[in-house]
Amino acid sequence: INNASEEDVIRVMQLSERPHWGPSDSNATENPNLRLEAYIDAARRGAAVRILLDRYFDDPENPLSNSATCHYVREVATTEDLDMACELGNPAGLGIHNKMILVTNRMEHFAIIGSVNGTELSQKGNREIALEINSVELHEFLAAMFDQDWPKSIYLPMIFNDYLGPANHLLISEVLY
């Protein structure tokens, strides 16, 4: 991640990624989330960064929530005009429990998979681990999954293209006998 630059891509899928570490009333300047700041620095160097966080277990009222993280990331991306996005998702209907980082770094393809969340406790106290695997095949498989899980936007003009209104005649759509 620290070597990522232009034309590199970083995809992050996490159950939890805090906007900052330390107490909830702190901030990213006083107690930065070192992982999150590494993603932001990669975007500053020109890498495309996509962060997908769990929506199912998220509490938007919590200042350390995934919602707060996405708000922070979007604010930095907009202010600095970075190729960086953060979305909340629930692709399987039961939340995101995945802890995965995918990095395409020039000619190498890394998949970092394990149990490490983006919380301070996960990094410093729980002894959680992750494996870094340099494999094109594994990276491509997991990147396809990530891209499929990334929330899609549908714009209404596309929905109403060739729209046919309600039938103005008798329409039988089901028969019960």
Side-chain angles (χ1 to χ4, degrees), residues 14 35 97-101 111-119 121-133:
Q14 285 287 318
R35 291 163 39 110
H97 196 74
N98 194 3
K99 289 95 173 176
M100 172 177 78
I101 305 167
I112 304 163
I113 49 180
S115 64
V116 185
N117 280 304
T119 64
L121 182 61
S122 179
Q123 301 296 310
K124 297 178 178 180
N126 287 355
R127 293 186 174 191
E128 295 185 18
I129 64 166
L131 299 174
E132 179 181 305
I133 303 164

Side-chain angles (χ1 to χ4, degrees), residues 60-140:
E61 301 300 317
N62 182 342
L64 296 176
S65 69
N66 288 338
S67 296
T69 301
C70 280
H71 175 77
Y72 170 65
V73 167
R74 290 175 190 141
E75 191 174 87
V76 171
T78 300
T79 302
E80 299 182 30
D81 193 29
L82 303 177
D83 186 3
M84 181 171 58
C86 184
E87 295 291 338
L88 299 179
N90 183 12
L94 294 173
I96 293 173
H97 196 74
N98 194 3
K99 289 95 173 176
M100 172 177 78
I101 305 167
L102 303 173
V103 180
T104 304
N105 195 332
R106 290 170 272 303
M107 299 304 292
E108 298 182 297
H109 297 77
F110 296 100
I112 304 163
I113 49 180
S115 64
V116 185
N117 280 304
T119 64
E120 189 172 17
L121 182 61
S122 179
Q123 301 296 310
K124 297 178 178 180
N126 287 355
R127 293 186 174 191
E128 295 185 18
I129 64 166
L131 299 174
E132 179 181 305
I133 303 164
N134 187 353
S135 165
V136 172
E137 294 82 8
L138 178 62
H139 183 278
E140 287 178 355

Side-chain angles (χ1 to χ4, degrees), residues 42-59:
R44 287 177 176 139
R45 292 188 303 273
V49 178
R50 301 293 175 266
I51 302 170
L52 180 57
L53 303 176
D54 176 67
R55 174 187 305 276
Y56 187 73
F57 292 105
D58 190 49
D59 175 9

Side-chain angles (χ1 to χ4, degrees), residues 11 102 138-150 152:
R11 294 174 178 95
L102 303 173
L138 178 62
H139 183 278
E140 287 178 355
F141 176 79
L142 294 173
M145 180 188 74
F146 180 95
D147 293 342
Q148 179 179 334
D149 289 348
W150 186 259
K152 310 292 188 280

